Amino acid sequence: EAGVAQSPRYKIIEKRQSVAFWCNPISGHATLYWYQQILGQGPKLLIQFQNNGVVDDSQLPKDRFSAERLKGVDSTLKIQPAKLEDSAVYLCASASTDTQYFGPGTRLTVL
Amino acid sequence: AQSVTQPDIHITVSEGASLELRCNYSYGATPYLFWYVQSPGQGLQLLLKYFSGDTLVQGIKGFEAEFKRSQSSFNLRKPSVHWSDAAEYFCAVEGNFGNEKLTFGTGTRLTIIP
């Protein structure tokens, strides 16, 4: 069974630029999550989708972050404009029942 | 809201020695509990999980964890570590009243010395 796929794996941008991350969940998983993991910390949930609807985006900084999940499969997370403090690993996870499975993450460096 | 505490930021053990990583949680009832491992540059891999039933849970790679309700703990153990176990370990808790967030601890970095 293929795991959660994410791209790109690494991204370096200047502050105030925009960036987008892509996630392809495990086939058949209705629930998709985006997490932000700052160095030295555990992952923090940004947004949760159930199919193509948003379940929880309470911790998403909506002035600069946006996410969508078209057709209830792939998802993209965008940051516009990026700030220095957005440097982190962005993890995507998917779940069918009570267990989340994580992708390899995208490491973002904002200079 | 639930929370997780991993008191040990960094642990060093010798290869072949036993290991115990501590995890304490705060939640009003019995939550779902997880241990994940993250190798450098990798995503999180699920080691084991506890939902209910037997309080001693077996996982992959020879790991086990024991849920102790009286101590609000879910410590991870391995009888004999291998150099490949060097990684970051995260304990996580999820409420079980439907649609609750998975909350992670800050992680414990495990170093293995020969």
Side-chain angles (χ1 to χ4, degrees):
Chain A
E1 179 183 79
V4 177
Q6 290 187 249
S7 68
R9 292 295 310 276
Y10 304 92
K11 190 75 176 178
I12 300 174
I13 61 172
E14 301 276 337
K15 62 183 179 183
R16 290 188 289 274
Q17 285 186 322
S18 62
V19 64
F21 313 127
W22 173 82
C23 173
N24 179 240
I26 293 172
S27 177
H29 282 193
T31 313
L32 185 146
Y33 309 80
W34 283 101
Y35 288 84
Q36 180 191 59
Q37 185 180 18
I38 293 172
L39 187 65
Q41 300 181 19
K44 183 188 83 171
L45 180 68
L46 292 175
I47 188 167
Q48 176 186 347
F49 291 94
Q50 181 75 18
N51 296 308
N52 59 353
V54 175
V55 173
D56 184 351
D57 63 357
S58 58
Q59 299 190 92
L60 187 74
K62 298 181 188 62
D63 58 333
R64 297 183 301 106
F65 285 65
S66 65
E68 61 182 7
R69 191 182 184 197
L70 300 176
K71 302 181 182 178
V73 182
D74 293 4
S75 177
T76 56
L77 176 70
K78 297 178 182 177
I79 307 175
Q80 182 180 9
K83 293 184 175 181
L84 296 176
E85 59 261 35
D86 297 331
S87 293
V89 175
Y90 290 84
L91 295 164
C92 179
S94 69
S96 61
T97 53
D98 293 312
T99 301
Q100 295 183 31
Y101 296 91
F102 286 79
T106 297
R107 181 176 297 278
L108 173 67
T109 301
V110 182
L111 303 175
Chain B
Q2 65 262 31
S3 65
V4 180
T5 302
Q6 293 181 250
D8 303 305
I9 296 173
H10 186 201
I11 284 183
T12 300
V13 298
S14 299
E15 190 168 16
S18 64
L19 171 70
E20 182 168 25
L21 302 183
R22 296 184 291 164
C23 171
N24 292 94
Y25 69 89
S26 173
Y27 186 67
T30 299
Y32 297 153
L33 294 159
F34 305 81
W35 274 99
Y36 285 88
V37 62
Q38 186 175 37
S39 298
Q42 302 297 314
L44 283 83
Q45 181 182 22
L46 179 67
L47 284 176
L48 47 79
K49 58 189 177 185
Y50 173 78
F51 288 172
S52 65
D54 192 346
T55 57
L56 186 61
V57 180
Q58 301 298 319
I60 63 171
K61 304 186 179 187
F63 285 93
E64 66 178 26
E66 185 171 14
F67 169 61
K68 292 186 177 180
R69 186 194 313 273
S70 61
Q71 298 176 21
S72 297
S73 69
F74 189 56
N75 294 350
L76 182 72
R77 300 194 295 249
K78 186 169 184 178
S80 176
V81 297
H82 186 262
W83 64 266
S84 60
D85 294 324
E88 188 94 18
Y89 291 80
F90 291 94
C91 181
V93 60
E94 181 177 323
N96 53 17
F97 289 108
N99 230 20
E100 299 195 46
K101 281 195 273 284
L102 186 63
T103 301
F104 286 86
T106 51
T108 297
R109 183 158 60 95
L110 175 64
T111 297
I112 309 295
I113 54 177

